[in-house]
Amino acid sequence: MSDTLTLAGGGKLPMVGLGTWKIDTAILPDLIVAAVAAGYRHFDCACDYGNEKEVGAGIRQAIDQGLCRREDLWITSKLWNTYHRPEHIRAAAERSLKDLQLDYFDLYHIHFPIALEFVPFEKRYPPEWFFDPDAAEPKMHPIAVSQAETWGALQALKTAGMARHLGVCNFNVALIREITAATSQRPDVLQVELHPYLSQERLLRFCKQAGIAVTAYSPLGAPSYVPLGMAAEDEDLLAEQTIRTIAEAHGKSPGQISLRWNVQRGAAVIPKTSRVERLAENIALFDFELSESEMTSIGQLNRDRRFNDPAQFGEAAFNTFFPIYD
């Protein structure tokens, strides 16, 4: 099995990358260097993570140390919700490129199908979810900008050489059809939450049929969400006996089994870790194969359990009920 996905436009997306959400800025540059040394070439970033400067510092160190060349790397970033108006897109992309110390993205996504009121860079960056955090009752401020309008304007980044591939995150099938019909431009990649508790089989089938590559975020399930109150302690995918039994049979960790399950389904994965010793484990997914019965058993763990759902966290954390998957 190949360790890359070939995109419709010809690019080679590494099947395993390092997610950078919620990684402490103090350790991130050294972690990026360690990841490159361990074999990682795919790094998933975003304006909203608030750490692109540190990712950029790590990339620069890795290149300067001769561990890789820029052209060896696949760097993904994302357009935040407050920059969906066409007139703000280029400036948002330029800011991320500056922080990452890059001339171009390998892949640039729309982060959420959520358009919020613009917050100037000099006022707050990253702007996060509240329009005015100091208001008496701070809330998200949605604006009337369609996803098709944003997607159409995003194409200029590719024309300008700022992004080699364009994609979308957290979109459903209806939205993908809508933006494609409106612009005649199909996303190269869809990034969504995918793990055995949220298998999304029909979405994967649609993307395969449409020639859209898929990247799975949160491929290990709940760990990143428990500290945020978005998942319970007992929602530990890696404690599932099914996964632990399969892991023991292969001499692998439960995490490797969960990651291999997605990779074997044809989805790239971007597990997050802050531990250098875990980097090698998460990328070692291509020296074994799950049987058809093992794949089926893991798939049967599906609960349709989505941890990253604005309908839940928007109301709880940002005083705004904002469903996007209903």
Side-chain angles (χ1 to χ4, degrees):
M1 180 177 185
S2 173
D3 60 359
T4 62
L5 284 175
T6 300
L7 306 189
K12 300 280 189 181
L13 171 65
M15 290 287 284
V16 184
L18 178 65
T20 60
W21 181 47
K22 292 178 77 267
I23 296 182
D24 186 355
T25 55
I27 68 168
L28 193 45
D30 289 342
L31 187 70
I32 296 294
V33 173
V36 173
Y40 284 78
R41 295 297 181 265
H42 175 184
F43 296 93
D44 186 81
C45 317
C47 153
D48 185 56
Y49 300 166
N51 57 16
E52 288 190 318
K53 283 187 177 180
E54 289 73 22
V55 173
I59 291 171
R60 178 48 50 194
Q61 289 175 36
I63 292 173
D64 289 347
Q65 292 176 26
L67 297 175
C68 64
R69 303 168 300 166
R70 167 63 185 100
E71 54 267 35
D72 298 327
L73 301 176
W74 183 283
I75 310 298
T76 296
S77 187
K78 307 177 188 78
L79 179 78
W80 185 238
N81 305 338
T82 51
Y83 307 129
H84 276 219
R85 286 195 177 101
E87 62 266 30
H88 300 312
I89 289 174
R90 182 170 182 130
E94 288 175 340
R95 175 61 186 262
S96 280
L97 285 172
K98 179 182 177 182
D99 286 349
L100 290 165
Q101 302 184 46
L102 301 176
D103 296 322
Y104 65 91
F105 304 111
D106 295 276
L107 175 61
Y108 196 59
H109 283 299
I110 297 176
H111 200 150
F112 280 96
I114 298 173
L116 300 180
E117 190 61 67
F118 175 66
V119 176
F121 300 127
E122 60 272 17
K123 182 175 182 179
R124 192 170 65 252
Y125 189 89
E128 301 182 314
W129 294 82
F130 284 136
F131 177 68
D132 180 6
D134 299 322
E137 294 185 6
K139 295 182 178 181
M140 295 160 54
H141 278 211
I143 56 174
V145 175
S146 73
Q147 297 308 308
E149 184 178 359
T150 300
W151 178 245
L154 206 69
Q155 306 304 314
L157 298 182
K158 193 171 182 180
T159 302
M162 297 170 63
R164 296 194 169 175
H165 299 276
L166 299 172
V168 293
C169 299
N170 302 299
F171 276 49
N172 61 22
V173 170
L175 273 176
I176 293 171
R177 286 182 171 140
E178 179 182 320
I179 64 172
T180 302
T183 64
S184 299
Q185 299 294 326
R186 178 182 57 196
D188 288 329
V189 182
L190 169 67
Q191 185 180 125
V192 289
E193 182 181 344
L194 278 183
H195 44 75
Y197 283 165
L198 184 66
S199 60
Q200 304 213 69
E201 295 288 350
R202 291 189 300 182
L203 181 61
L204 277 180
R205 182 179 174 185
F206 165 79
C207 287
K208 183 176 181 180
Q209 177 180 290
I212 299 170
V214 174
T215 298
Y217 74 74
S218 300
L220 299 176
S224 292
Y225 299 100
V226 172
L228 301 176
M230 296 162 67
E233 292 279 359
D234 61 1
E235 294 183 292
D236 184 2
L237 172 66
L238 304 187
E240 287 281 353
Q241 190 57 52
T242 295
I243 289 178
R244 298 185 73 84
T245 298
I246 294 171
E248 185 175 350
H250 287 274
K252 299 292 181 180
S253 72
Q256 286 174 307
I257 297 303
S258 297
L259 294 173
R260 175 68 197 192
W261 175 78
N262 253 327
V263 165
Q264 209 162 305
R265 296 198 304 158
V269 292
I270 44 172
K272 185 217 86 175
T273 183
S274 297
R275 296 165 54 186
V276 171
E277 63 271 20
R278 190 61 61 79
L279 290 171
E281 177 184 314
N282 286 349
I283 206 170
L285 305 178
F286 299 96
D287 60 348
F288 72 103
E289 184 173 349
L290 301 175
S291 69
E292 185 176 340
S293 64
E294 289 170 335
M295 291 290 293
T296 299
S297 295
I298 296 170
Q300 288 172 344
L301 296 173
N302 179 57
R303 303 177 179 180
D304 292 328
R305 176 61 169 108
R306 190 185 305 276
F307 297 110
N308 191 1
D309 187 349
Q312 296 178 354
F313 72 72
E315 191 165 25
F318 306 116
N319 306 317
T320 311
F321 177 54
F322 207 101
I324 63 174
Y325 299 113
D326 301 85

